[in-house]
Amino acid sequence: MTRPAPNTAPNAPVLVVGAGLSGAVLARELAEAGWPCHVIDARPHVGGNCHTARDPETGVMVHTYGPHIFHTGDAATWAYVTRFARFRRYTHRVKTTSRGAVYGLPINLHTINQFYGKTLRPTEAEAFLATQADTSITAPRNFEEQALRFVGRDLYEAFFKGYTQKQWGCAPRELPAAILQRLPLRFTYDDSYFNHPYQGMPEDGYTALTQAILAHPAIRVSLNTTYTPDLADGARHIFWTGALDGYFDYALGRLGYRTLEFERFTATGDYQGCAVMNYADADIPYTRITEHKHFAPWERHAKTTCYREYSRAAAPGDIPFYPIRLVAEQALLKRYVARAKTLENVSFIGRLGTYRYLDMDVTIREARAAAAQFLAQGGTLAPFHINPLA
Ligand code: UDP
């Protein structure tokens, strides 16, 4: 994609492509420092994939692109989001159905005792799992080795193997160990899904949060607006939060993503008793069912909206969700990064711009850091503020 020469006039406007969390936070930080920003998004709403909307049939606030739970260990990021929205207390607890029984995730003392039919105390459970673990694996090189090393084959096969195969469409031994490292392993009865001290749900949803971040007189938002080079006319800089390969019109090929399909259904009352029920068995085609009303336990609704979630490889035109980052994608990513590094006055940020599996808090922290550096450098920034190949 070509673009005109940058406008180097002081405080010339900045074009931000994408109105998800990255774009909104970046624009807000620049706007507060006096830089006018034009934020565009091809979709009819802000919030990117954390968009939420009320289901007109049930009144339930639905996470349109799948479950998003805000959690962070970073007090500054928590202070930042709570400036823009009232967060309600919400502790994410996940259940999984495996071989006809229901267990709690992440694997904790209750899961271990229930699975093995034991009554172990913490130190006993730790010693027991050590007998299950494959200690010949010292440095796990992939997802499967990570699981075998830390929980052993039984738990791996019951909870991770089938789910991961469905979620990623490949054998777990082809995936990086880092994907499993997202999940804690606990020898207590604490069944909170996340270890982070700050956790909650924005009372009016993530779209309202994003709108509040964007509500600044120096920010103009254009929805239903696909990027074309003329939009960059007169711009000082472009922040691109869309897909990295999309910026180059996929000239070198397409970076692989998993996309999700949601089968919506409604019911009366409470369908499953929790927000997220995973389905670990390989012969059940979906990975999980999300019952959205449980994300807002302070609300009351007679009816309920659920999404059955299916994962598959993204084809052109599909919404990209999870970057795959296997060996082939890493090689292609390297080539796109090299090409991007030749650009001036364009920076790539966020999950799609840097092709990484990012949580919302990291996205926000990185967008703020990129904005701070842009401002500190008087309105310039390298194509990458972080290293997407790391
Ligand atoms: N995972 C699994 N079984 C589960 C839940 C997670 O095997 O019941 C694996 C799976 O590979 C998944 C990864 O752990 O992609 C990370 O899970 P997380 O819940 O963080 O995924 P997300 O909610 O971001 O899709």
Side-chain angles (χ1 to χ4, degrees), residues 10 12 16 49 75 111 144 148 185 195 316 336 361 374:
V16 181
N49 276 9
T111 323
E144 182 169 279
L148 295 175
L185 165 64
N195 277 337
Y336 273 117
D361 64 325
F374 176 82

Side-chain angles (χ1 to χ4, degrees), residues 313-355:
D318 286 333
I319 298 172
F321 283 79
Y322 298 90
I324 298 177
R325 289 185 82 104
L326 297 183
V327 176
E329 285 81 11
Q330 297 270 14
L332 185 56
L333 175 63
K334 223 172 177 171
R335 295 176 63 210
Y336 273 117
V337 167
R339 191 179 268 211
K341 281 184 173 169
T342 66
L343 300 172
E344 275 179 46
N345 304 102
V346 183
S347 301
F348 298 85
I349 62 167
R351 175 180 62 97
L352 299 173
T354 62
Y355 193 60

Side-chain angles (χ1 to χ4, degrees), residues 110-372:
H110 201 183
T111 323
I112 296 165
N113 277 331
Q114 194 191 349
F115 185 77
Y116 287 104
K118 292 184 181 291
T119 57
L120 303 170
R121 289 184 292 113
T123 48
E124 293 168 342
E126 199 165 351
F128 173 72
L129 264 208
T131 69
Q132 304 295 304
D134 184 345
T135 46
S136 69
I137 302 167
T138 45
R141 286 165 305 177
N142 57 55
F143 185 110
E144 182 169 279
E145 288 188 0
Q146 175 79 13
L148 295 175
R149 170 72 188 84
F150 289 98
V151 301
R153 184 164 296 278
D154 291 347
L155 290 168
Y156 164 60
E157 292 192 344
F159 298 130
F160 300 132
K161 195 177 175 185
Y163 186 100
T164 297
Q165 177 81 42
K166 291 189 288 184
Q167 170 70 3
W168 294 95
C170 62
R173 86 182 69 85
E174 293 174 48
L175 292 164
I179 294 180
L180 185 58
Q181 287 159 1
R182 292 172 57 81
L183 304 190
L185 165 64
R186 295 205 195 98
F187 298 102
T188 70
Y189 288 102
D190 177 1
D191 62 350
S192 169
Y193 202 62
F194 305 114
N195 277 337
H196 284 148
Y198 307 101
Q199 188 175 167
M201 275 291 167
E203 184 167 50
D204 296 319
Y206 291 101
T207 298
L209 166 70
T210 313
Q211 281 164 344
I213 295 171
L214 287 165
H216 187 285
I219 300 177
R220 181 159 70 95
V221 179
S222 304
L223 297 177
N224 302 303
T225 304
T226 303
Y227 174 81
T228 49
D230 56 296
L231 287 165
D233 274 350
R236 169 66 178 247
H237 199 88
I238 299 180
F239 283 93
W240 183 270
T241 77
L244 173 61
D245 51 350
Y247 181 86
F248 299 99
D249 290 327
Y250 310 99
L252 304 173
R254 283 182 179 262
L255 290 168
Y257 280 94
R258 299 298 285 178
T259 193
L260 301 177
E261 268 175 30
F262 302 104
E263 199 173 83
R264 171 187 172 276
F265 63 95
T266 60
T268 304
D270 191 344
Y271 177 75
Q272 63 181 16
C274 63
V276 176
M277 174 65 77
N278 289 353
Y279 285 85
D281 300 331
D283 57 355
I284 293 182
Y286 42 90
T287 51
R288 56 187 174 185
I289 296 180
T290 298
E291 183 170 10
H292 297 264
K293 70 155 112 177
H294 290 292
F295 288 132
W298 59 91
E299 295 186 2
R300 290 286 168 266
H301 301 280
K303 296 187 82 180
T304 190
T305 304
C306 300
Y307 276 14
R308 229 175 252 121
E309 185 172 324
Y310 298 82
S311 171
R312 62 170 172 78
D318 286 333
I319 298 172
F321 283 79
Y322 298 90
I324 298 177
R325 289 185 82 104
L326 297 183
V327 176
E329 285 81 11
Q330 297 270 14
L332 185 56
L333 175 63
K334 223 172 177 171
R335 295 176 63 210
Y336 273 117
V337 167
R339 191 179 268 211
K341 281 184 173 169
T342 66
L343 300 172
E344 275 179 46
N345 304 102
V346 183
S347 301
F348 298 85
I349 62 167
R351 175 180 62 97
L352 299 173
T354 62
Y355 193 60
R356 288 175 307 146
Y357 187 176
L358 292 186
D359 285 336
M360 290 182 282
D361 64 325
V362 180
T363 301
I364 291 171
R365 198 170 59 230
E366 289 189 359
R368 295 185 74 197

